[in-house]
Amino acid sequence: MKSKHHLDFLEQLESESIHIMREVAGQFEKPAMLFSGGKDSIVMVHLALKAFRPGKFPFPLVHIDTGHNFQEALDFRDYLAKKLGEKLIVRSVEDTIKRQNLTETKGKFPSRNGLQTFTLLETIEEFGFDACLGGARRDEEKARAKERIFSVRNEFGQWDPKLQRPELWNTYNGKIHQGENVRVFPISNWTELDIWNYILREKIELPSIYFSHEREVLDYNGQLMFVNDFIKIEAGDKISKRKVRYRTVGDMTCTAAVESDATTIEDIISNIIITKTSERGQTRIDDQVSEAAMEDRKKGGYF
């Protein structure tokens, strides 16, 4: 085994993430890992395998299904959970909307991102989760860059960016009061390029949506939106079949594709090296509502 001083950069990131996951297992009674079938959460599952095998994960996999998810991601979610024999809990935003009589967003691209916070908080309360691990990274969006690896949420699930704990020398404080919850981000210090280099090195399997494929898309202000039943198609909309891939996989109503011929991980890495825009900055309509769109959602309980 290599000494710490001889670990390469990806090995250092991997070691840090595994350490964080084991800290969660040691400090919390009922943790959970959010798992959507997207590339970052797939990497998280791979890291959990390294952290805890040959034993079972000390937490279930949890997905908050908005009902607007890409089918490729859902199919891969189910496939991987079954392959690994790990428990998968799925809770539906649609059910929460009916149960709480919530009002959905209107418009051309009606996103349920804000509403999934209600389902997440319901799920945390239902199972008594005291910590939820997620695949957010600091390079994705500036509000996420503000957040600690152990991010304490109050009894209402809310986040206060001014009340965060210091995390010196890889020491994480998981002490919380009754009703509070901690969101944990083991891959905070990874970048999109790190993720893809790690996927390449570890030969991690991914859904086909991340690679170039032909898809019917709507060209809307330069963004290529998958034509689906949830968005409003109007007269004059420019619809065509294009070869595209997805950098990030959110809801169909708020995630744009990028035109691409990349069919291998090496191709994707070459694309990312010359790209100057973050994946969310380039492809997520919901983050462009305002300068503080993500931060406002996080303050309300969003992951």
Side-chain angles (χ1 to χ4, degrees):
M1 184 177 177
K2 296 181 182 179
S3 72
K4 184 174 181 180
H5 297 292
H6 290 88
L7 295 178
D8 67 30
F9 184 61
L10 286 179
E11 289 170 326
Q12 290 178 42
L13 290 173
E14 177 189 76
S15 178
E16 177 187 58
S17 298
I18 288 172
H19 168 67
I20 292 165
M21 288 186 179
R22 288 174 175 167
E23 280 291 305
V24 170
Q27 292 194 46
F28 297 95
E29 294 183 7
K30 290 187 177 181
M33 177 183 284
L34 297 196
F35 176 61
S36 65
K39 70 180 188 308
D40 296 317
S41 62
I42 292 169
V43 166
M44 290 269 290
V45 168
H46 185 81
L47 291 164
L49 289 170
K50 291 199 169 191
F52 303 112
R53 283 295 190 257
K56 300 281 286 183
F57 291 175
F59 38 68
L61 304 177
V62 176
H63 184 217
I64 305 302
D65 184 355
T66 64
H68 292 172
N69 301 103
F70 289 95
Q71 192 60 48
E72 295 97 322
L74 295 178
D75 291 343
F76 194 89
R77 175 201 71 186
D78 296 341
Y79 156 75
L80 189 58
K82 183 177 180 181
K83 176 184 176 182
L84 299 179
E86 295 294 340
K87 183 178 181 180
L88 173 65
I89 296 169
V90 178
R91 288 296 180 266
S92 167
V93 173
E94 182 77 33
D95 291 342
T96 305
I97 291 171
K98 294 175 181 177
R99 189 165 46 249
Q100 297 194 28
N101 196 27
L102 302 175
T103 301
E104 294 201 56
T105 303
K106 308 296 182 182
K108 192 173 187 65
F109 303 106
S111 173
R112 286 180 171 175
N113 263 352
L115 297 182
Q116 69 180 313
T117 297
F118 293 90
T119 309
L120 174 60
L121 297 179
E122 280 187 341
T123 306
I124 288 171
E125 183 177 3
E126 177 185 355
F127 293 95
F129 295 137
D130 51 4
C132 293
L133 297 100
R137 307 186 323 269
R138 287 177 176 145
D139 75 317
E140 290 180 89
E141 204 276 339
K142 56 188 177 184
R144 285 184 166 166
K146 295 181 180 181
E147 199 157 23
R148 298 286 193 264
I149 290 172
F150 272 33
S151 178
V152 178
R153 306 299 177 95
N154 66 21
E155 63 271 27
F156 303 107
Q158 297 170 327
W159 173 62
D160 186 343
K162 296 179 180 179
L163 297 178
Q164 298 194 78
R165 299 170 178 180
E167 293 178 341
L168 307 175
W169 307 291
N170 292 331
T171 300
Y172 306 103
N173 180 3
K175 290 184 178 180
I176 54 176
H177 297 294
Q178 183 69 32
E180 291 181 334
N181 181 268
V182 176
R183 311 288 171 84
V184 182
F185 305 104
I187 59 171
S188 280
N189 292 327
W190 298 52
T191 66
E192 182 187 12
L193 185 58
D194 295 331
I195 290 290
W196 282 105
N197 279 321
Y198 188 73
I199 288 169
L200 176 65
R201 192 186 77 174
E202 297 291 307
K203 298 180 175 61
I204 297 173
E205 192 177 0
L206 293 174
S208 59
I209 195 169
Y210 284 107
F211 302 95
S212 180
H213 58 284
E214 193 173 76
R215 192 176 287 262
E216 191 175 42
V217 294
L218 163 66
D219 189 336
Y220 182 78
N221 293 336
Q223 293 189 306
L224 303 178
M225 301 297 296
F226 171 49
V227 176
N228 61 80
D229 293 337
F230 305 112
I231 67 175
K232 185 179 179 181
I233 303 298
E234 300 169 301
D237 280 342
K238 295 167 56 179
I239 296 174
S240 60
K241 284 193 174 181
R242 309 274 277 273
K243 289 188 71 175
V244 300
R245 70 176 184 87
Y246 283 83
R247 291 179 68 186
T248 180
V249 180
D251 279 0
M252 292 183 284
T253 55
C254 63
T255 308
V258 294
E259 200 155 17
S260 175
D261 290 318
T263 58
T264 67
I265 295 173
E266 290 89 346
D267 291 340
I268 292 171
I269 289 172
S270 296
N271 287 171
I272 294 170
I273 289 172
I274 62 174
T275 299
K276 296 181 179 180
T277 309
S278 72
E279 66 228 77
R280 292 190 71 99
Q282 181 181 20
T283 65
R284 293 297 286 269
I285 289 177
D286 54 326
D287 287 347
Q288 298 170 18
V289 174
S290 72
E291 282 283 325
M294 171 65 81
E295 184 164 332
D296 290 342
R297 292 201 302 272
K298 290 176 79 68
K299 287 178 179 178
Y302 185 76
F303 209 92

